[in-house]
Amino acid sequence: MSASQIRDVAEIGMKMDDVIPLWFGEGAWPTPTRIVNAAVDAMQNASHKYQPNNGTVELRETIRQYCQAQFKAHCSLSQITVTPSGMQGLMLSAQLLTSPGDRVVAIEPSWPNIVGCYEAMGADVHGVSLRAHEGRWQLDMEQLLDSLDKSTKIFIVNSPNNPTGWTLSTSEQQQILDHCRRLGIWIVADDVYARLYRHAAAAPSFLSIADPTDRLISVNSFSKSWSMTGWRLGWLVTPPECEVALGQLTEFNTSCTPGFTQHAGITALREGESDIAELTQRLNAGYKATAKALRGMSRVEFIDPDGAFYAFFRVEGLNDSYQAALNILKETKVGLAPGSAFGQTGEGYLRLCYAQPVDVLEEAFNRLEPYLT
Ligand SMILES: Cc1ncc(COP(=O)(O)O)c(C=O)c1O
């Protein structure tokens, strides 16, 4: 298996002083206090034991209600499994669905871990590339549907997308769902950026249009919307018949998600809407500063993201983005992710996470300017 190039660059940068770290997908801000307090209370009140494989009933029920409120998804409790992170949710989905040699289709560019866990299970992954056209990322639906052929078992899609911010519309989701229903293809929808959508309170989700029996797995996480990256807490929405197998797989992976983090998750979902609103305001400011700075740099092609919190930009003349990210790190002390980490389509691009205060971003752009102009 190949190592993550994002990690490779970051490992070097984390040993340096005065680096502005824009490589990972996480914000500068701490977890909201009410969520931290909920975990502290739970620890003090003895939430110290093994928990049910699929999560506590209270958190599963809270997630069920949240999915109904946000996505108009009519789920039963048996469709919800709590996972110790979105990443673990992705891995569980790969373990659940994949046999060696299975054909899996994924959208590119893609966060490498999504494809990585399917490859770890022996899948034969085929990429369908987004194209940047007139300042926007676009999907060629005909090409995708051709690629989702009879021999395909799973389609994985992350929308809003890391790294591009590209987001599927409801009508595109409907076309994909209809096609996958006809051919019996599983859809694994990575919805971790669903609430970080620049045009509405939530991005379109397959959950809003699917039936409980559809072959759909939605992967979600507390990491991004509630600033909980280090907590490792997420969830899956699946057809009800996956519940037992997911519980068994969880038993052999981590056995359960810690009780006190699950308590924190309940508070995040029930009381955290104002925290998301505050984060959204901060991200808007970060987006504006980033768009203005990158649009002003002559070698940069800035492609507007619809969601998530990244700028994924092309740099004229750049043909080794990994080496460029290393050089930029050494010479400017700004940590970026190389576009090649996200698949071949990403070569020539760099990614930065703009979930930072505006003054930090401005300092980063001052440092980057000589490189990108
Ligand atoms: C697209 C996508 N999916 C899933 C995750 C995993 O989130 P976590 O494991 O922190 O819940 C990330 C994290 O960067 C991501 O970008």
Side-chain angles (χ1 to χ4, degrees), residues 25 85-87 90 111 114 158 162 190 192-193 221 223-224 229 232-233 310:
S85 77
M87 185 62 245
L90 282 166
W111 184 52
I114 300 182
N158 163 226
N162 172 8
D190 180 328
V192 311
Y193 296 102
S221 167
S223 284
K224 315 291 175 177
T229 47
R232 318 314 295 133
L233 186 62
Y310 306 102

Side-chain angles (χ1 to χ4, degrees), residues 322-333:
Y322 179 61
Q323 195 52 49
L326 289 173
N327 294 347
I328 288 172
L329 173 65
K330 282 187 192 135
E331 287 169 42
T332 70
K333 297 200 172 176

Side-chain angles (χ1 to χ4, degrees), residues 182-372:
R182 266 197 305 275
L183 297 187
I185 298 170
W186 281 87
I187 299 172
V188 176
D190 180 328
D191 289 333
V192 311
Y193 296 102
R195 300 298 308 280
L196 306 185
Y197 183 51
R198 296 203 310 105
H199 312 301
S205 167
F206 282 98
L207 287 175
S208 309
I209 54 172
D211 297 328
T213 50
D214 274 317
R215 293 185 162 186
L216 170 69
I217 295 188
S218 160
V219 181
N220 218 318
S221 167
F222 289 80
S223 284
K224 315 291 175 177
S225 310
W226 294 275
S227 306
M228 294 173 71
T229 47
W231 292 66
R232 318 314 295 133
L233 186 62
W235 74 84
L236 297 173
V237 182
T238 68
E241 60 268 25
C242 297
E243 180 189 21
V244 172
L246 279 173
Q248 288 166 345
L249 283 172
T250 300
E251 178 63 25
F252 304 131
N253 278 276
T254 51
S255 298
C256 64
T257 304
F260 52 92
T261 54
Q262 294 195 60
H263 271 280
I266 292 167
T267 300
L269 294 179
R270 286 192 188 149
E271 299 172 33
E273 281 303 306
S274 59
D275 299 316
I276 296 185
E278 194 179 341
L279 177 66
T280 305
Q281 274 189 358
R282 288 170 165 162
L283 293 182
N284 280 341
Y287 163 77
K288 280 190 192 138
T290 301
K292 185 167 170 238
L294 289 178
R295 283 196 175 115
M297 295 186 193
S298 57
R299 287 175 59 216
V300 170
E301 185 193 358
F302 175 73
I303 303 154
D304 227 2
D306 292 314
F309 46 31
Y310 306 102
F312 194 61
F313 53 96
R314 198 176 67 82
V315 183
E316 200 185 281
L318 190 81
N319 51 24
D320 184 347
S321 56
Y322 179 61
Q323 195 52 49
L326 289 173
N327 294 347
I328 288 172
L329 173 65
K330 282 187 192 135
E331 287 169 42
T332 70
K333 297 200 172 176
V334 177
L336 302 178
S340 52
F342 304 91
Q344 260 180 354
T345 324
E347 186 51 281
Y349 288 77
L350 294 166
R351 187 195 75 176
L352 69 79
C353 174
Y354 61 69
Q356 292 284 335
V358 169
D359 58 331
V360 174
L361 291 170
E362 283 172 352
E363 170 60 19
F365 292 124
N366 284 340
R367 294 186 194 184
L368 288 171
E369 176 133 37
Y371 257 85
L372 301 179

Side-chain angles (χ1 to χ4, degrees), residues 54-132:
N54 295 72
T56 63
V57 169
E58 198 184 0
L59 177 55
R60 294 172 78 192
E61 174 57 21
T62 309
I63 292 169
R64 195 189 67 73
Q65 288 172 12
Y66 170 84
C67 289
Q68 191 160 345
Q70 285 305 326
F71 307 118
K72 305 202 169 34
H74 298 290
C75 306
S76 60
L77 206 62
S78 59
Q79 290 181 257
I80 314 288
T81 288
V82 177
T83 57
S85 77
M87 185 62 245
Q88 179 65 24
L90 282 166
M91 189 67 203
L92 283 167
S93 74
Q95 292 172 348
L96 182 73
L97 300 180
T98 319
S99 303
D102 280 347
R103 178 181 159 89
V104 171
V105 172
I107 297 288
E108 247 193 51
S110 162
W111 184 52
N113 296 27
I114 300 182
V115 172
C117 58
Y118 280 84
E119 285 173 344
M121 296 310 297
D124 182 15
V125 181
H126 296 256
V128 171
S129 295
L130 300 174
R131 295 270 167 245

